[in-house]
Amino acid sequence: MLRPYISILSVLMVLTVSCQKQESKGQPNIVFILADDLGYMDLSCMGSTYYETPNIDRIADQGTIFTNGYAASRVCSPSRASIMSGKFTARHDITVHIGSPAGEAWRTRNRFTKLLPAEYTHNLPKDYITMPEALKQQGYRTFFAGKWHLGDKGSWPEDHGFDINVGGWTSGGPRGGYFSPYDNPNLENGKDGENLSHRLAKETVNFIQENNPQKTGIPFFAYLSFYAVHSPIQTTEEKWKKYRDKAQQQGIAESAFSMGKFLPIRQVQDNPVYAGLVEQMDEAVGQVLSALDEMGLEENTIVVFTSDNGGVAAGDNFSTSNKPLRAGKGYQFEGGIREPYFIKIPGLSKGGEKIDYPVSGTDFYPTFLELAGGEQLPQEHNDGISLLPLLKGETLNERALIWHFPHYGNQGGEPSSIIRRGDWKLIHYYEDGRKELYNLSKDLSETTDLASDYPAKVQELNKELFDYLTEVGAKYAEPDPEYSEEKAREFLTKMEYEKMPALEKQRMEMLSNDFDPNNNWWGSTPTTD
C-alpha cells in the first residue's frame, strides 16, 4: 500500500533535483587563478619572446584582456586583501606584506632610510564579508588552494569563507620550495620531487570533480592561488636546459642590470630557472583547463587569470624584467602594479578582445557577485565596481584608482601614494613631498615627469588622493631621527659596486653549461604526475 506514495515521493525528489540543476545553470562556476609575483610581460601573449605560456595564453585568447589591469598593491598581502574585500589598501590597512617590520623595527633591515614605515593591520579583518562569503550566500561551494598570506592561524582561508583550504596558511612563500616535501601544515607531502604548482592544480581538479554541478546542482568557486613564481625560484634540469639553450640562441646580453635608486634592477629576460618555473605554473593551469573541458564544464565556467603584483626585477631573486614597464615588484611604477588581467566568460567574451578601461583587483568581488545573480554590496566592496557592463560592450564612467604604500619595499620602492584617473598618474613621495606626473597613454615607461608642465592637474589629483586617504584614516611613514646620510651612502655604494657585479656573475653561472644547483636540482624529478 505504501508503493504509490513511495513512487510519488521519488518523482518529487527527481523533480526537485532537476529544478536545482536547471537553476544552477543560471549561476556560472568560477575558477579564479592568481599567480604570485608574475609580471605584466611574463607571458608570451603579453609580449615575452622568452617565456612560454600556451595554457595561460588560451585564457587570454578566448577571454577579454584588460590592458590597463592593476593589482591593488605593489606587494602581495595588500593586493590579496583587496581581492578578498573589494577595498583599496588604505581602507583595509594591510598596506605591506604581512611580516614586514614597521616603525623602529625597520632598522633591523639595515636599509638606512629617511623614514620609518607605518604600522599596519596583520590579519584580514573578520568583520568583512569577503568575496567567498558573499558567494556562499548565493549558494556556492568554495575552495582555496595555495598561497594565502593574510594572517596567522585563525585568519586562514577557512576563517574567511572557504569551505576547503589546501595549502593556504601564514607563510608568504613556498617554505619547503617547489618540490615535495613542502613544509606546509595544510598540504600533505607528495612523493619526493612532486612539483608544487602541479599538485595545487591536481587538488583543484579533484575539488571540481567531487563537486561537479552537473551532479550536485550547486555552483562552485575555486580559487587557485599559486605560490609560483615567488622566490626561491626553482625548476627541473630539463626545463633549465631548454631555456638556457633558448637564451643562447637568442643571444646573451653582456649585462642585464642597471642601478636604481636603492638596488640594481634587472633589464633582460634570460633567467632559465625562472623561465622553467613559469612554464611549470603554465602546465598546472593547463591541467585545470583540460579538466573543465573533459567534464563538459567549460560552457558554464568563468575563468580568470591575474597576478598579485609586478614581476621581481629587484630584490628577492632579481628574476625578470618588466620592460617596457618601469621597475617591478615593490615599486610605485607600472612594473610594480600593472598585471596580466584576463576574464573569460562563456557566451559573453568575444575572444582576445582588449579593453583599455583601468581596472583593479578590487573589481573581481563585485563582478563575480553580479555574475552570480547577487545584489551588490557597496558597503563591503567599497572601492570595487562590477566590470560586467564593460564585458557586455557598454561603458563606465571614469573613476580614480588609488594605491597607498607608506613603506620601503624589499625590492627598492619608496614610501608613496598613487592616484590614476584617465591617462594621468600622480605619485606623491613621503620622503620629501615631491610629486611626479605621467601621461600613461603617451609614456608607458614613465620616462618624462610632467608635474612642472601641468601644475593644475597635479593639484587636482593630489587633492582627490589625499581627500580619500583622509576619509579612510590612512597611516603614514614618519621621519627616522636616527637617519644617517653617511650610512645611506655606504649602503648604496655597496649595492652598486658589490651587489650588482655579484648578480651579473650569478646570472652567467645560471646560463653556463655546467650549472648544477645543490647537485640535485632542488630534489626535483624530471617528470610529473
Side-chain angles (χ1 to χ4, degrees), residues 232-268:
I233 58 170
Q234 300 172 348
T235 193
T236 62
E237 182 177 9
E238 58 190 356
K239 290 203 184 299
W240 161 80
K241 184 179 185 303
K242 170 185 175 178
Y243 286 101
R244 179 211 61 194
D245 292 348
K246 187 172 184 178
Q248 291 175 344
Q249 292 164 5
Q250 292 182 343
I252 297 174
E254 184 176 338
S255 63
F257 295 89
S258 63
M259 190 63 193
K261 181 172 181 178
F262 296 112
L263 294 174
I265 301 176
R266 192 179 187 103
Q267 306 294 317
V268 177

Side-chain angles (χ1 to χ4, degrees), residues 492-509:
L492 294 178
T493 298
K494 184 176 181 180
M495 291 299 102
E496 184 170 2
Y497 295 103
E498 295 182 25
K499 182 66 174 179
M500 192 154 63
L503 288 170
E504 294 286 8
K505 180 181 177 182
Q506 181 189 56
R507 167 177 169 258
M508 296 309 294
E509 289 174 352

Side-chain angles (χ1 to χ4, degrees), residues 40-41 321-327 444-447:
Y40 187 77
M41 299 301 295
S321 169
N322 300 292
K323 292 181 71 174
L325 304 188
R326 185 174 174 183
L444 182 62
S445 301
E446 296 168 286
T447 60

Side-chain angles (χ1 to χ4, degrees), residues 177-197:
Y178 284 99
F179 302 97
S180 184
Y182 300 120
D183 192 17
N184 183 321
N186 291 329
L187 181 65
E188 293 184 6
N189 291 327
K191 65 180 182 180
D192 287 354
E194 176 189 59
N195 178 266
L196 176 58
S197 297

